[in-house]
Amino acid sequence: MPIEIKVPTLGESVTTATVGKWLKQPGEAVKVDEPVVELETDKVSVEVPAPASGRLENHAVKEGDEVEVGAVLATLEAGAAGSAPAAKAAPAAKAEEAKPAAAAAPAAQAPAETDYDVVVIGAGPGGYVCAIRAAQLGFKVACVEQRATLGGTCLNVGCIPSKALLQSSENYHAAGHDFAAHGVVIDSVKLDLARMQARKADIVGANVKGVEYLFKKNGITWLKGHGKVEGTGRLSVDGKPVTAKHIVIASGSNSANLPGIEIDEKVIVTSTGALELSEVPKRLVVIGGGVIGLELGSVWGRLGADVTVVEFLDRLVPGTDNEVASQFQKLLVKQGFKMKLGHKVTKAEKTKKGVVLTVEPSAGGAAETLEADVVLVAVGRTAASKNMGLEEAGIALDKRGRVEVDAHYATNVPGIYAIGDVIAGPMLAHKAEEEGVALAELLAGQAGHVNYDAIPGVIYTWPEVASVGFTEEQLKEKGVAYKIGKFPFMANGRARALGMTDGFVKVLADKQTDRVLGVHIIGPCAGELIAEATMAIEFGASAEDIGRVCHAHPTLSEAVKEAALGADNRAINI
């Protein structure tokens, strides 16, 4: 079917461009990602690429015309032969927020007749969302997944099961420690871990079956097996050849490990094993002070484990606003966490009673030992790019094994794209989802776009921690003059009623323009409250804009309003 080539997103504040020069004429053959037309703005010169190989049908606008973002520039008959073959593949369009371009691609073209328009390798949040959006746009779509269920790491052994256990363990802890203050006296609280784990499994099952239903609803074929890329337009699934006009790599990531530590998912576990423990360990050592380790440490700490965190750096959750991280650490220690910051694990020896860890100061010094029943290795994740034929197919990878892509998620091999954890950027499910939607729309000739300055991050401990935009430290490094508005939950009526007064909201705004640059929250429901701040950054709102919006009373969201007002010293309730 004809594909419309549209004006792409040109930058955060750029809405129009001038058609500079047509590089391809009606009737000519073009290859996927080959430049078709040049656009000019006062900020950037853009070459708009073909979203697929085929024949250019017509020009919808003339050279010199002014066009808006999203306007149709031309139409393309995908797969059709043209009057002359293209000489070589060229770089995709440049944009203000583009990622570093991959190396020049070899000339190649997908077969004229293929099994599918789009094949996505990986059915995690990025992959299955990309597949659904592509199907909605009229493509014939298949998704390759070797797990017995869809949903990837997130739904099966990551985001969803961990949140289920976090909620259950939070309820258990509240029943034993917090309910009495509300006049709800429970004489004895008993833990039924097997039932808690069964509830988690039911939640996971419902979610993965939901994705399977969405595949059927949207006519997406599930190719069950191991996917391997062969080259432009070609892949295999468990050795069986499959052809596609567009191949999307959405293989996700795997848990990282430390040298010399043998994971058995029983006593030395990754997040996968930590979600399946059949009894509460008396002593849990978490290696790594990041999101995963602190969330799962919270689960087992609430259920009775003695939790010690060993972190190589001298702080928790690197990249988080320093003030928030400091408050976060104090609250976790208050909950019973033991911290060994600025330390590294050099050895892990299994014994009949558990594990003995050798720990040394990161900067050098005397070693000591820690004994644990279970050790959770949570030192980050690595791109899942191995054993997929990527290097053999000539696809460029960076030093960390991530697939290199350009601003349109295209690799250096024509017709092959990548999104999510397997490319650079934060390893977040929602980031992968947004990239999946953007890529599907780009393949359809639309203006798919992701604003990487408006990707929120959440830590689902108690209290929750959520951030979006720049931290104070980043603004200082960039030399940006800023102002701060801060409001504590202790002064929020709803937080007092809930008995959840720890933490604060912090708004960072440009000192001259008042534009919101970053928002950081530690406190109740921070993961929900951050959505308002994310929308503010996405649409270029000022702190005053947030402050002038009527927020329902009494709600936790009023703390966001008050912090925004505080950026101009106008907070009312403090």
Side-chain angles (χ1 to χ4, degrees), residues 5 21-24 30 34-38 47-50 56 59 74:
I5 301 175
K21 181 181 179 181
W22 281 103
L23 306 176
K24 289 293 178 180
V30 295
E34 187 174 18
V36 173
V37 61
E38 291 180 351
E47 290 181 344
V48 180
L56 196 67
H59 294 166

Side-chain angles (χ1 to χ4, degrees), residues 518-533:
V519 177
H520 308 278
I521 307 173
I522 177 169
C525 301
E528 306 297 330
L529 297 176
I530 202 66
E532 177 181 11

Side-chain angles (χ1 to χ4, degrees), residues 294-540:
L294 297 179
E295 286 186 354
L296 291 174
S298 292
V299 167
W300 298 109
R302 291 169 189 159
L303 299 180
D306 182 11
V307 180
T308 300
V309 177
V310 181
E311 166 57 44
F312 184 86
L313 301 177
D314 60 0
R315 56 161 293 167
L316 299 177
V317 285
T320 304
D321 184 90
N322 284 353
E323 186 178 10
V324 171
S326 177
Q327 178 77 351
F328 187 34
Q329 181 180 331
K330 292 176 183 177
L331 291 172
L332 290 178
V333 170
K334 186 178 178 181
Q335 292 171 21
F337 276 67
K338 296 181 177 65
M339 301 290 177
K340 291 198 72 66
L341 305 182
H343 282 72
K344 60 183 178 180
V345 175
T346 58
K347 186 178 180 181
E349 182 181 358
K350 296 179 186 176
T351 67
K352 292 181 179 180
K353 294 182 178 180
V355 184
V356 175
L357 295 175
T358 301
V359 179
E360 300 176 2
S362 304
E368 60 180 302
T369 59
L370 294 176
E371 294 184 359
D373 299 292
V374 174
V375 173
L376 166 59
V377 181
V379 292
R381 298 184 65 82
T382 57
S385 59
K386 295 181 179 179
N387 303 317
M388 294 179 62
L390 303 187
E391 292 178 282
E392 294 84 345
I395 295 172
L397 306 178
D398 67 15
K399 294 180 180 179
R400 296 172 61 180
R402 300 174 300 190
V403 179
E404 293 186 350
V405 295
D406 66 13
H408 288 174
Y409 308 103
T411 70
N412 61 309
V413 176
I416 301 178
Y417 306 81
I419 58 171
D421 286 6
V422 78
I423 68 173
M427 291 185 173
L428 298 169
H430 45 282
K431 176 258 194 185
E433 290 177 343
E434 294 304 314
E435 291 175 340
V437 170
L439 175 55
E441 293 176 350
L442 287 167
L443 294 179
Q446 298 183 7
H449 172 69
V450 178
N451 180 0
Y452 289 95
D453 289 337
I455 302 292
V458 183
I459 307 172
Y460 296 90
T461 49
W462 185 259
E464 291 183 352
V465 176
S467 298
V468 66
F470 296 104
T471 65
E472 269 202 81
E473 294 69 41
Q474 290 169 332
L475 293 176
K476 288 176 182 177
E477 186 177 343
K478 291 165 67 73
V480 176
Y482 63 93
K483 54 186 178 179
I484 303 173
K486 195 163 69 171
F487 191 82
F489 282 103
M490 180 64 75
N492 176 267
R494 183 67 190 279
R496 285 179 174 174
L498 293 170
M500 302 174 181
T501 56
D502 286 329
F504 55 85
V505 178
K506 180 178 182 179
V507 173
L508 304 173
D510 188 280
K511 196 167 186 177
Q512 277 70 46
T513 67
D514 196 40
R515 182 172 181 165
V516 178
L517 302 174
V519 177
H520 308 278
I521 307 173
I522 177 169
C525 301
E528 306 297 330
L529 297 176
I530 202 66
E532 177 181 11
T534 303
M535 182 171 288
I537 290 176
E538 178 67 33
F539 288 97

